[in-house]
Amino acid sequence: MIRKCSASAVALLASLGSAQAETTIEWWHAMGGELGAKLEEIVQGFNDSQDQYTVQSSYKGTYPETMTAAIAAFRANQQPTIVQVFEVGTGTMMAAQGAIVPVHQLMEEHGEGFDPSAFLPQVVGYYTDPEGNMLSMPFNSSTPILYYNKDVFEAAGLDPEQPPKTWAELEQFSRQIMESGAAECGFTTGWISWIQTENLSAWHNQPIGTEENGFGGFEARLSVNGPVQVKHWENLKRWADEGIFKYGGPVGGDNAPPLFYAQDCAMIMNSSASRAGVIANATNFEVGYGMLPYYDDVEGAPQNSIIGGATLWVLSGKSDEEYAAAAAFFDYLSSPEVQADWASFSGYLPITDAARDRMADFYAENPGADTGINQITLNEPTQNSKGLRFGNYVQIRGIIDEEFEQLMAGDKDAQGALDSVVERGDALLEEFQAQSQ
């Protein structure tokens, strides 16, 4: 006898069939805390928006830890479809021939209506090949800006609505703040490498390295020991000796933000993506925002700042169905609605013109929130200001920190420290070139 299925059984079987038809892909990322929670919300939004694909996101630790885990997984043929890699890993990912599927290729084969020209050139320029093809999908892009304590400015007799525009003004404001007793130090900074070396160079249209900052090929070598960079490191040392500047430590300069939150220092230069954290921690004073200061005697300054953050790389060895899922997910991620929501929440930059336009009301209601995007789009990028692309650059940033600490300790002068950065960094670039060719 043939038994009839109940309505509930039919629904169950249908749901099982639907689940089996879905294609599931993995995304490994490096976002913890509130950013990680927001990322999970975005993933859930994509999964709920359709019934063909499911993205499973996994937190793998810091950026270096996530990149290392993905490389190890690839060697074991257990790689995810998508991995988040920070910007200084771009050169290494590009050199991993056969390990990646370029995003432009993925989207041409599987995307729907994907338009590379919709993305901000200052963002995607970092992640394109010499022919302008996108290699990875921008997701969380940031740039450093200046945060300042409006209450301290007012107490020192400064206009709280006018941040310093030049380094000369920053020094002058710092002295006035300290002499008035409004704060004991003028400024601090995160990321000596990213902000006070790489962005300092781009902001003044100075080369970070040869071969268009590494974009031109593996023969690139460093050039951060030029006159502008040396002058700036000399000034940082002098200002540190005079108490105007307080050093926040190596790598990200994690000791710098507490100096600002405690009102020990009146100003801090840090990531635009730090905005939410700054607002959450600066509870006893009003925060102002400004672009990075520049030397007004350097021709072409200010130019444009460069990005930090990370992009999403697609790894090879997956099925067409999984790549179709990745393309659909990237279409969703880059939509104006998702991008505007992510950027408004996080402080990261919107990656498309449409997302930036969609945020007009948010920017109007949150003065200063558009400082980063205005700064990075201030001028069309030049060969010196579109970013950098060097192999082994994670290690090179460590060298920058080590040599800066030698400068701070008085063991080297600025020229000697930056010469050592170039010498030691070039050795790593030569090693990377030999391994990659």
Side-chain angles (χ1 to χ4, degrees):
M1 182 177 70
I2 298 174
R3 296 179 181 272
K4 291 185 178 180
C5 293
S6 66
S8 59
V10 170
L12 176 61
L13 289 171
S15 67
L16 288 173
S18 174
Q20 289 171 352
E22 286 183 0
T23 299
T24 299
I25 61 172
E26 288 186 273
W27 173 20
W28 291 5
H29 66 86
M31 306 233 114
E34 292 181 352
L35 290 175
K38 184 65 176 180
L39 181 151
E40 297 293 344
E41 179 185 313
I42 292 171
V43 169
Q44 191 60 50
F46 170 73
N47 291 340
D48 291 344
S49 71
Q50 43 72 50
D51 58 9
Q52 289 182 278
Y53 312 115
T54 297
V55 174
Q56 293 181 342
S57 53
S58 300
Y59 173 67
K60 294 295 179 178
T62 65
Y63 282 136
E65 289 169 346
T66 301
M67 186 172 175
T68 300
I71 292 171
F74 188 86
R75 289 171 179 162
N77 198 30
Q78 296 178 337
Q79 68 272 26
T81 305
I82 303 169
V83 62
Q84 183 185 32
V85 177
F86 56 162
E87 87 284 9
V88 294
T90 301
T92 300
M93 294 299 291
M94 280 188 63
Q97 296 182 3
I100 66 164
V101 177
V103 159
H104 71 91
Q105 177 183 322
L106 175 87
M107 302 307 287
E108 285 166 7
E109 295 178 0
H110 300 283
E112 296 181 5
F114 182 72
D115 181 10
S117 67
F119 292 78
L120 295 170
Q122 292 84 349
V123 173
V124 299
Y126 206 115
Y127 305 107
T128 56
D129 65 16
E131 287 72 45
N133 297 312
M134 287 176 61
L135 302 172
S136 58
M137 175 62 71
F139 174 59
N140 55 305
S141 296
S142 58
T143 199
I145 63 172
L146 175 76
Y147 300 89
Y148 68 99
N149 186 323
K150 286 188 174 184
D151 295 3
V152 165
F153 268 48
E154 189 167 15
L158 295 167
D159 185 344
E161 303 304 322
Q162 295 296 324
K165 292 184 173 61
T166 66
W167 281 105
E169 283 187 348
L170 183 138
E171 179 177 2
Q172 174 194 336
F173 287 12
S174 295
R175 293 189 187 281
Q176 187 168 331
I177 287 166
M178 293 167 67
E179 289 169 2
S180 70
E184 64 182 49
C185 112
F187 75 99
T188 185
T189 185
W191 294 99
I192 292 296
S193 54
W194 180 48
I195 301 175
Q196 304 302 339
T197 310
E198 298 157 24
N199 267 281
L200 183 279
S201 301
W203 195 224
H204 292 84
N205 199 22
Q206 301 296 305
I208 299 168
T210 63
E211 299 290 332
E212 299 181 27
N213 289 349
F215 281 78
F218 293 131
E219 298 80 12
R221 300 295 182 262
L222 299 177
S223 59
V224 290
N225 56 344
V228 174
Q229 294 99 329
V230 169
K231 176 175 76 170
H232 186 58
W233 275 34
E234 285 176 344
N235 283 337
L236 289 174
K237 169 60 173 169
R238 174 172 61 84
W239 291 328
D241 290 344
E242 296 174 3
I244 289 174
F245 162 60
K246 284 191 176 181
Y247 173 51
V251 191
D254 291 343
N255 294 326
L259 293 172
F260 182 65
Y261 301 149
Q263 305 192 67
D264 293 336
C265 294
M267 295 170 275
I268 184 173
M269 278 158 268
N270 218 345
S271 172
S272 59
S274 300
R275 182 176 177 275
V278 169
I279 292 172
N281 286 280
T283 55
N284 297 321
F285 60 92
E286 186 176 358
V287 178
Y289 310 89
M291 293 188 185
L292 295 175
Y294 63 94
Y295 291 103
D296 56 8
D297 59 347
V298 176
E299 184 177 355
Q303 169 55 42
N304 65 276
S305 58
I306 58 178
I307 63 173
T311 53
L312 307 183
W313 291 81
V314 178
L315 300 182
S316 61
K318 298 297 181 177
S319 67
D320 282 347
E321 291 78 13
E322 287 168 302
Y323 289 137
F329 183 50
F330 285 174
D331 273 331
Y332 180 84
L333 276 183
S334 58
S335 67
E337 299 80 7
V338 172
Q339 270 299 305
D341 178 60
W342 167 248
S344 300
F345 171 84
S346 66
Y348 283 109
L349 307 175
I351 62 173
T352 64
D353 288 311
R356 183 183 183 182
D357 292 343
R358 193 178 182 88
M359 293 178 67
D361 289 344
F362 173 80
Y363 287 144
E365 295 166 4
N366 296 272
D370 59 351
T371 302
I373 193 68
N374 290 340
Q375 177 182 272
I376 204 168
T377 59
L378 185 63
N379 290 297
E380 284 296 314
T382 70
Q383 292 184 357
N384 297 327
S385 69
K386 64 180 178 180
L388 56 90
R389 184 174 294 161
F390 304 109
N392 287 335
Y393 202 74
V394 177
Q395 298 94 313
I396 291 172
R397 273 193 171 167
I399 290 172
I400 292 172
D401 285 330
E402 290 170 8
E403 294 297 336
F404 190 79
E405 294 205 318
Q406 292 278 301
L407 172 69
M408 289 291 101
D411 296 332
K412 292 183 179 178
D413 61 14
Q415 186 71 64
L418 284 168
D419 286 348
S420 290
V421 168
V422 170
E423 180 181 358
R424 296 174 63 193
D426 282 354
L428 287 174
L429 293 178
E430 291 171 12
E431 177 183 308
F432 185 80
Q433 180 182 4
Q435 293 171 346
S436 304
Q437 291 184 328

